DNA sequence: CTATTCTCTAGTAAATCGCTAGGGAAATAG
DNA sequence: CTATTTCCCTAGCGATTTACTAGAGAATAG
């Protein structure tokens, strides 16, 4: 399960991906339009800026904008920055590998093997989905195409 | 990220899947062989029993065994019991759906759309992988086939 | 200089995780 | 019947993480 943090970050970036190239958007405006807690969002955007996804400017006419084209930022990158590795377990992670305390033979561990498969499937989607694509799809969606869940 | 609980549960069940049909195994033995904390494992097995995955017997010659054939128990079922829904966000879940507080239009939410794809990919793997398969693969694995991660 | 807006550090309440403790109840052995 | 084994069940608890809020500081525009 991802955290609110990652969700907020993704939502904010998607919104910025739909702005005019080079235009700055205020944190306050993002927070309001997306209904996100303003101060918390600030922290998140700061983090994304430090990781090179956002460019910011202070003072009047300041705000945030993407630091690179929306088709060069993937969901996977963002989630890893905000929530850490994608893999269900550390022992199945490429980017955040850590051995299990209790594992006697990792090469044979059936749990790890399956979790690697899951990780790979997640990564295949998340590392290939860019902000640009997602923004386009999200907006162009036909409401009737997807029935409500239960 | 899954919890230790789910990992412990999966490991224990996989071990039981490799026992003779109908034979009982002690919690203490599972804990020792898999290097898991005994008391915590008890809780987990209890939960799995209540959900119909395990059968147990008390007293001498007691212990736990699978309540159904190993090819009828999937990773997905187990993880849902121990850790809850698979989906990255509640709004993308089939089994544990909950609306996002901040979502204005769910039908258009690009984040949700992508998370549904991720959920579906995870479910496709986890709901089709049985204990029987995983146990067979885990044991038959060729150590040289999978290089160490970093 | 002043208003604006991001920047940064702290703090914090609540929830969750990953256990441990300990006694109770059922089954079996003798 | 008694003792032993083993699961059953409830409680609790320390550490960590989550999801924020507060508030002062620094840059920028006008």
């Amino acid at each position: 399960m991802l955290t609110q943090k990652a969700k907020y970050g993704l939502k904010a970036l998607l919104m910025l991906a739909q702005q005019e190239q080079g235009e700055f958007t205020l944190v306050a405006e993002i927070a309001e339009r997306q209904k996100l807690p303003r101060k918390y969002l600030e922290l998140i955007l700061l983090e994304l800026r430090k990781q090179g996804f956002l460019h910011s400017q202070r003072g009047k006419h300041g705000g945030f904008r993407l630091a690179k084209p929306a088709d060069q930022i993937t969901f996977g990158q963002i989630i890893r920055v905000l929530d850490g590795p994608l893999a269900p377990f550390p022992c199945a992670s490429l980017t955040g590998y850590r051995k299990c305390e209790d594992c006697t033979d990792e090469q044979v561990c059936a749990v790890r093997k399956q979790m690697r498969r899951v990780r790979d499937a997640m990564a295949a989607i998340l590392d290939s989905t860019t902000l640009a694509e997602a923004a386009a799809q999200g907006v162009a969606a036909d409401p009737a195409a997807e029935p409500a869940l239960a």
Side-chain angles (χ1 to χ4, degrees), chain A:
Chain A
M1 190 79 97
L2 298 184
T3 63
Q4 298 276 82
K5 195 174 179 181
K7 188 178 70 176
Y8 294 168
L10 287 169
K11 283 195 160 192
L13 288 174
L14 278 165
M15 179 175 155
L16 292 177
Q18 290 165 341
Q19 300 302 110
E20 292 285 319
Q21 262 289 19
E23 229 175 71
F24 286 100
T25 308
L26 302 183
V27 176
E29 200 188 328
I30 302 175
E32 194 186 356
R33 295 242 312 259
Q34 303 291 327
K35 294 211 291 179
L36 308 177
R38 182 175 166 283
K39 287 300 270 180
Y40 192 35
L41 183 60
E42 259 181 32
L43 297 184
I44 296 167
L45 296 186
L46 240 347
E47 215 164 320
L48 289 169
R49 175 187 143 263
K50 285 182 184 160
Q51 297 298 321
F53 295 104
L54 291 175
H55 179 66
S56 65
Q57 179 142 332
R58 291 195 263 203
K60 197 114 199 177
H61 310 312
F64 286 88
R65 62 172 164 80
L66 297 185
K68 39 189 167 182
D71 61 4
Q72 282 171 40
I73 302 179
T74 67
F75 274 52
Q77 292 168 343
I78 300 163
I79 290 171
R80 287 198 188 84
V81 164
L82 298 178
D83 266 19
L86 302 180
F89 294 134
C91 70
S93 176
L94 283 178
T95 59
Y97 173 78
R98 263 190 16 245
K99 193 178 184 306
C100 288
E101 296 295 321
D102 53 280
C103 203
T104 44
D105 188 350
E106 207 174 52
Q107 301 297 347
V108 164
C109 177
V111 175
R112 175 165 165 278
K113 235 173 253 297
Q114 299 304 324
M115 293 310 148
R116 262 304 288 281
R117 291 179 60 208
V118 173
R119 186 219 84 95
D120 291 345
M122 296 174 70
I125 294 173
L126 294 170
D127 288 335
S128 72
T129 306
T130 66
L131 289 182
E133 285 173 57
Q137 279 181 39
V139 165
D142 173 5
E146 192 173 7
L149 302 172

